[in-house]
Amino acid sequence: MTDTDDTDDTTTENRAPSRLLPVTDVSLVLLIGTSGSGKSTFARRHFLPTQVVSSDFCRGLVADDENDQSASAEAFDVLHYIVGKRLAAGRLTVVDATNVQPEARRQLVAIAREHDVLPIAIVLDVPPGVCAERNRSRPDRQLPAHVIPRQNRELRRSLRGLEREGFRKVHILRGEAEVAAAGIEIEKRYNDLRHLSGPFDIVGDIHGCRSELETLLTRLGYVLTRDAEGRPVDAAHPEGRTAVFVGDLVDRGPDTPGVLRLVMGMVAAGHALCVPGNHENKLGRAMDGKKVTVSHGLQESLDQLAGESEEFKARVRTFMRDLVSHYLLDGGALVVCHAGLPERYHGRTSGRVRSHALYGETTGETDEYGLPVRYPWAEEYRGRAMVVYGHTPVPTASWINNTICLDTGCVFGGSLTALRYPERELVSVEAEREWYAPVRPLVTDAPGAREGRPLDLADVAGRRVVETALHGRVAVREENAAAALEVMSRFALDPRLLAYLPATMAPSATSRREGYLEHPEEAFAGYRADGVRHVVCEEKHMGSRAVLLVSREDAALERRFGTAGPGAIWTRTGRAFLADDGLSAAVLGRVREAAERAGLFEELGTDWLLLDAELMPWSLKAVELLRRQYAAVGAAAGAALPTALEALERAAGRGLDVEELTGRQRRRAADAQAFTEAYRRYCWPTEGLSGIRLAPFQVLAAEGANLAVRPHDEHLAWIDRMVEADGGKLLHRTGRLLVDTGDEASVAAGIAWWEELTGAGGEGMVVKPLASLVRTRRGEGRPGGLVQPGVKVRGREYLRIIYGPDYTGHLDRLRERGLGHKRSLALREYALGLEALDRLAAGEPLWRVHEPVFAVLALESEPVDPRL
């Protein structure tokens, strides 16, 4: 590939250009002309230096000589690489090379298509004699006599076929005067409306349902304007809001002309924007006389339009022909299209982008109804912009990775839905009737199907990587996923209700204080090192972790979780906490009454609550563990040690020196007694609700809100109100103390409180940042990241249950325990739990909520010392 560039030393006066060449702001511009035609001068005059990629410069990069033609192949490899990187970043790029050879242009047009930008040609058709004279005047470049005539012949052969090569715009400047008089006019892409910030009301697929559209617009606050015949021809919002229609205005429904008349009037008046749907695309081609297959409601539109005037039908054809595939709005924070759009296509312009925006992407398979299976692009979407679309009807509009489908099947008897932006509020009106029978039912009985598709084992099987907002990508090994799947499929409660699993909790750093394995001073020092000044110490109840989903009324859960009832209580592994459904209902009923009396449902604007709690006594769930493990150890020690002591005492009576051994056995007997007393404190008989205590300590979520990120004092205040409203029948208050880690007196008070709790037989306490969600400060050798959401500091006597009756005799060895894996696990599970609550609050479908919930359960299969 031979290329020779040029420099034009001619000067022009400072005057306004007589011809402006439109150039799209994100495009690939090829300057085409023989050596000496003035391309480099033209590029310098009209484009920024950073926008121009010169073949001469690239030749210099690889050969240290811009005139070394032997380096052209490598130079163009570099040029193509730079062009690709700039186009990928969405930047206007100008190629300064001769570009007279079809193959050279073909490669660059292919790069433009790869990145979905427009290729534009600017041809400098300067007489060969002028070009030859300019080259002769350059001391650094003397071309052979045949080069310029050959390049000119190649240019002449190219002029008529540039459009066929794929150039969307071709500007030809003939002669020196036209080149000198030309200017560049940068045009925005048609889809670039980033200067419009709204507010918007984005309306889903209408499909000829004109009456429902009128009702929806009225509910949104728009005032309709009607013509002399009473037909709506415009609608404006008194507060200046703009409606945005996601396409599929036509087909199937009863009044396609009425919908078009209203929407076209709103767009013409500047009260609305509209993008095309696949049904507009097909109807427009049919009205233009092109051959199309008449199906999926097209015949209804053609029949209805047959009764309209030719002038109206001409307006419709023009309107549909001028629709832009998608729009970027609000500084690029919002993208509206018909069938969804991955981030790499945002703001791009190509046939591929338009096709995806109109039809989406399919897997090549068909479902049981013979319909194409759509590729789930939204599940993989991680873009910054919110993408709002329609196309594939879903029973309920729900968020998936900052995307939402607003086609809620109005024409199929569902509803017509709009999204208020930026409020993220959904407004819907029910369909007046089923206007068109769907091939595939909108709702099936499968779990989760109310939100678009059912829960699927494929969502959780195999190796998984879950994206979290707070901890990046969290990987789940295949073997751990298999173990979790076994637990969940065999033992878990109804998966629709399983919206959260609590994270494991790491202990505080190991204490070096004499006689202690754990002590509060390490917890306070650790948080102080992480920059956390204020912590809350919460009494640790010796019960079992329980998550409660409590409904305000039995029908409340149906709307969000797809199943009615009082709620559910489950364990850390997703199993129903209580085998007796009647007892579960009784507990939930008490909690519901307490929340109602405390005003929590009203205050939080919700008809359900998700609570994190401890359910006591420990024996309520761990009775088998107590019987087989702890009680057995205590019984064995109680049987063996007294006999051993009697034998030693007899031996001492015979004059044998067994004092040291006797002392050791007496200490073991005392330890065994302390062990038995330790676990017995957490066991007492229950009958029905009698004897059961529930100690909630966090309100995790409510409708539309992840409350787990709120400060802990707010949670404890809510819980205190519930406890007071309950009157001590079931709910139990959690003791707490606020500590300033930077104040010695406050730290000492925290230690004294822990000593008081554990001295009275308590398990210990949990120390948490008061602000709940905290990140470490960057710098000082630390990379920054999540701070542990809480650390447990267990008492000396309670640790006998965990490590054995005589663990205090092995403290030196136990102090070598490794905490790194446990802490890593705690942070990963914490981030996954918050991710699940975020998705739940955002209204994402339950299968999306399940992804991080299941990952928490899978991580629990990682090998870690269970005593930590």
Side-chain angles (χ1 to χ4, degrees):
M1 183 186 302
T2 301
D3 177 78
T4 307
D5 215 343
D6 56 274
T7 302
D8 181 4
D9 293 329
T10 60
T11 59
T12 57
E13 297 177 10
N14 256 339
R15 59 178 181 273
S18 59
R19 178 184 175 187
L20 289 176
L21 312 179
V23 169
T24 307
D25 58 353
V26 178
S27 59
L28 176 62
V29 178
L30 269 63
L31 301 180
I32 303 174
T34 60
S35 295
S37 58
K39 298 184 299 302
S40 297
T41 300
F42 187 90
R44 285 196 300 271
R45 183 180 301 149
H46 299 295
F47 298 101
L48 296 175
T50 53
Q51 294 173 330
V52 180
V53 185
S54 161
S55 59
D56 278 353
F57 176 76
C58 292
R59 195 177 288 111
L61 286 177
V62 299
D64 293 330
D65 182 357
E66 294 188 355
N67 295 315
D68 186 352
Q69 297 298 314
S70 66
S72 290
E74 291 80 4
F76 275 93
D77 285 344
V78 173
L79 183 143
H80 293 159
Y81 179 81
I82 296 173
V83 168
K85 288 298 183 183
R86 286 188 59 83
L87 296 183
R91 305 199 181 280
L92 173 64
T93 303
V94 180
V95 176
D96 177 12
T98 58
N99 293 317
V100 294
Q101 298 170 323
E103 178 57 29
R105 296 191 296 270
R106 189 176 301 115
Q107 294 182 61
L108 289 164
V109 169
I111 295 173
R113 287 175 174 165
E114 178 185 349
H115 295 286
D116 301 291
V117 301
L118 298 178
I120 297 173
I122 298 179
V123 181
L124 278 63
D125 186 9
V126 175
V130 175
C131 296
E133 179 58 34
R134 289 175 179 171
N135 276 292
R136 280 194 293 272
S137 67
R138 292 187 56 178
D140 61 330
R141 177 179 302 171
Q142 295 298 317
L143 299 178
H146 68 276
V147 171
I148 290 179
R150 175 177 57 78
Q151 291 179 351
N152 190 61
R153 289 193 299 271
E154 291 171 333
L155 177 64
R156 304 256 73 77
R157 287 194 294 267
S158 300
L159 289 179
R160 292 186 178 180
L162 292 174
E163 288 88 351
R164 290 194 299 273
E165 292 181 14
F167 289 97
R168 296 290 293 273
K169 296 178 183 178
V170 177
H171 306 301
I172 301 178
L173 302 174
R174 303 187 186 278
E176 296 175 86
E178 283 195 13
V179 172
I184 297 296
E185 181 179 27
I186 301 297
E187 294 182 331
K188 292 177 63 175
R189 291 151 286 162
Y190 293 136
N191 54 39
D192 185 358
L193 298 182
R194 288 176 293 178
H195 61 287
L196 300 181
S197 58
F200 302 110
D201 297 305
I202 309 166
V203 181
D205 299 35
I206 303 167
H207 282 300
C209 298
R210 188 261 313 152
S211 179
E212 287 89 340
L213 176 59
E214 288 187 42
T215 303
L216 179 63
L217 289 173
T218 301
R219 184 169 297 178
L220 290 167
Y222 288 78
V223 178
L224 275 68
T225 301
R226 301 181 184 274
D227 63 11
E229 299 178 42
R231 300 174 300 188
V233 293
D234 190 12
H237 199 285
E239 297 175 6
R241 299 180 71 93
T242 301
V244 186
F245 298 96
V246 304
D248 276 6
L249 311 173
V250 305
D251 293 352
R252 295 176 174 150
D255 192 2
T256 283
V259 172
L260 287 168
R261 186 175 288 109
L262 175 53
V263 172
M264 290 191 304
M266 293 177 70
V267 171
H271 299 144
L273 301 168
C274 185
V275 297
N278 56 302
H279 284 264
E280 280 78 46
N281 186 51
K282 193 172 185 180
L283 176 59
R285 288 187 288 122
M287 293 181 71
D288 287 339
K290 297 177 180 177
K291 185 176 180 180
V292 298
T293 301
V294 179
S295 61
H296 300 298
L298 176 59
Q299 188 61 57
E300 284 79 355
S301 290
L302 294 173
D303 292 344
Q304 292 165 18
L305 286 167
E308 299 292 330
S309 68
E310 291 301 318
E311 184 272 336
F312 179 79
K313 287 188 280 190
R315 283 179 55 210
V316 169
R317 286 195 297 271
T318 301
F319 172 75
M320 291 192 294
R321 193 179 301 123
D322 291 345
L323 292 175
V324 178
S325 67
H326 69 287
Y327 283 122
L328 274 71
L329 299 160
D330 193 19
L334 173 65
V335 172
V336 178
C337 54
H338 177 62
L341 209 60
E343 186 177 32
R344 65 182 181 277
Y345 292 156
H346 295 179
R348 301 305 173 108
T349 48
S350 70
R352 176 169 57 181
V353 172
R354 184 174 179 82
S355 176
H356 198 294
L358 285 174
Y359 298 98
E361 185 179 351
T362 65
T363 65
E365 303 166 296
T366 55
D367 63 15
E368 59 190 295
Y369 303 100
L371 299 175
V373 177
R374 304 290 176 189
Y375 184 79
W377 68 273
E379 297 179 23
E380 301 175 357
Y381 181 75
R382 298 294 184 271
R384 181 184 66 87
M386 177 191 299
V387 181
V388 184
Y389 61 104
H391 187 52
T392 303
V394 294
T396 305
S398 54
W399 293 95
I400 302 176
N401 289 330
N402 206 25
T403 78
I404 189 168
C405 175
L406 295 183
D407 182 1
T408 48
C410 182
V411 76
F412 300 130
S415 61
L416 185 61
T417 299
L419 172 72
R420 294 184 190 269
Y421 177 92
E423 299 90 339
R424 291 173 69 106
E425 175 189 349
L426 291 169
V427 180
S428 296
V429 297
E430 297 298 315
E432 295 179 0
R433 50 166 286 192
E434 182 186 276
W435 299 103
Y436 196 91
V439 175
R440 177 172 50 210
L442 274 180
V443 182
T444 71
D445 294 330
R450 295 169 181 272
E451 297 167 297
R453 74 165 175 81
L455 303 176
D456 190 341
L457 287 178
D459 292 331
V460 295
R463 185 181 185 277
R464 314 294 299 174
V465 176
V466 182
E467 292 277 355
T468 68
L470 295 171
H471 203 63
R473 296 160 65 89
V474 177
V476 176
R477 296 187 182 98
E478 183 174 1
E479 59 269 25
N480 294 341
L485 189 57
E486 173 75 8
V487 170
M488 188 167 284
S489 60
R490 293 183 60 190
F491 305 114
L493 49 69
D494 187 330
R496 289 172 293 184
L497 299 172
L498 203 59
Y500 175 82
L501 286 179
T504 189
M505 182 177 292
S508 63
T510 302
S511 175
R512 295 293 171 181
R513 181 179 286 215
E514 181 65 30
Y516 289 89
L517 186 61
E518 296 177 11
H519 194 274
E521 60 190 359
E522 279 74 28
F524 298 141
Y527 279 124
R528 184 167 60 248
D530 283 332
V532 179
R533 183 71 183 262
H534 300 286
V535 297
V536 59
C537 304
E538 295 181 6
E539 173 189 2
K540 196 171 192 310
H541 304 286
M542 186 49 192
S544 299
R545 192 76 169 267
V547 179
L548 290 84
L549 177 62
V550 183
S551 64
R552 191 174 191 179
E553 54 188 28
D554 282 4
L557 298 185
E558 175 72 24
R559 292 186 286 272
R560 181 64 184 94
F561 299 93
T563 179
I569 311 173
W570 61 89
T571 68
R572 288 195 63 242
T573 56
R575 308 178 191 215
F577 195 103
L578 299 169
D580 185 340
D581 291 342
L583 183 56
S584 290
V587 171
L588 291 167
R590 286 276 184 88
V591 177
R592 173 196 289 180
E593 291 174 9
E596 190 69 73
R597 291 196 192 105
L600 258 65
F601 290 118
E602 193 71 30
E603 178 181 331
L604 298 174
T606 185
D607 52 14
W608 56 267
L609 292 171
L610 193 64
L611 304 173
D612 206 351
E614 287 279 336
L615 193 54
M616 298 169 283
W618 188 31
S619 51
L620 191 64
K621 183 171 77 74
V623 62
E624 287 303 312
L625 179 68
L626 286 165
R627 181 180 296 120
R628 295 178 182 178
Q629 183 171 323
Y630 300 118
V633 171
L641 291 175
T643 302
L645 282 171
E646 288 178 7
L648 288 171
E649 288 171 357
R650 288 195 298 269
R654 296 195 302 269
L656 296 177
D657 184 10
V658 292
E659 183 178 354
E660 190 276 332
L661 181 58
T662 302
R664 188 163 67 246
Q665 292 303 311
R666 283 175 177 161
R667 287 192 296 274
R668 291 186 65 196
D671 287 344
Q673 180 64 29
F675 171 83
T676 303
E677 292 175 357
Y679 77 75
R680 281 179 175 171
R681 292 189 186 101
Y682 311 114
C683 308
W684 58 81
T686 64
E687 184 176 351
L689 280 179
S690 177
I692 295 179
R693 299 178 192 169
L694 181 71
F697 52 84
Q698 194 168 25
V699 183
L700 294 166
E703 183 64 51
N706 175 2
L707 302 174
V709 296
R710 303 278 285 271
H712 282 293
D713 52 354
E714 292 187 28
H715 291 276
L716 293 170
W718 287 328
I719 300 301
D720 286 349
R721 284 162 51 188
M722 290 179 61
V723 172
E724 183 179 358
D726 177 63
K729 298 175 183 177
L730 171 71
L731 300 185
H732 185 74
R733 184 179 184 274
T734 295
R736 81 294 306 255
L737 180 72
L738 299 182
V739 170
D740 182 343
T741 63
D743 181 89
E744 290 185 8
S746 183
V747 168
I751 293 173
W753 189 65
W754 176 80
E755 290 173 341
E756 180 184 343
L757 285 176
T758 57
E763 178 182 344
M765 68 184 184
V766 177
V767 183
K768 305 175 181 177
L770 181 61
S772 189
L773 176 62
V774 179
R775 289 184 178 277
T776 58
R777 295 172 300 192
R778 294 183 180 274
E780 300 177 9
R782 292 189 300 248
L786 284 176
V787 165
Q788 289 288 340
V791 294
K792 53 191 177 185
V793 188
R794 296 166 290 185
R796 292 182 66 200
E797 295 308 311
Y798 172 76
L799 286 174
R800 292 189 191 280
I801 303 175
I802 305 301
Y803 287 102
D806 54 354
Y807 87 99
T808 51
H810 309 286
L811 285 180
D812 288 342
R813 179 167 55 84
L814 288 175
R815 285 185 176 125
E816 301 308 314
R817 61 184 184 165
L819 298 179
H821 189 186
K822 181 74 170 182
R823 289 185 168 186
S824 168
L825 195 61
L827 286 179
R828 284 178 283 154
E829 291 184 5
Y830 174 59
L832 288 165
L834 291 184
E835 181 68 23
L837 296 177
D838 278 342
R839 295 180 184 186
L840 182 69
E844 295 200 24
L846 289 178
W847 62 265
R848 281 273 298 157
V849 178
H850 261 228
E851 184 185 33
V853 172
F854 182 85
V856 172
L857 184 58
L859 291 184
E860 282 296 297
S861 300
E862 288 194 5
V864 65
D865 186 345
R867 300 172 299 178
L868 294 178

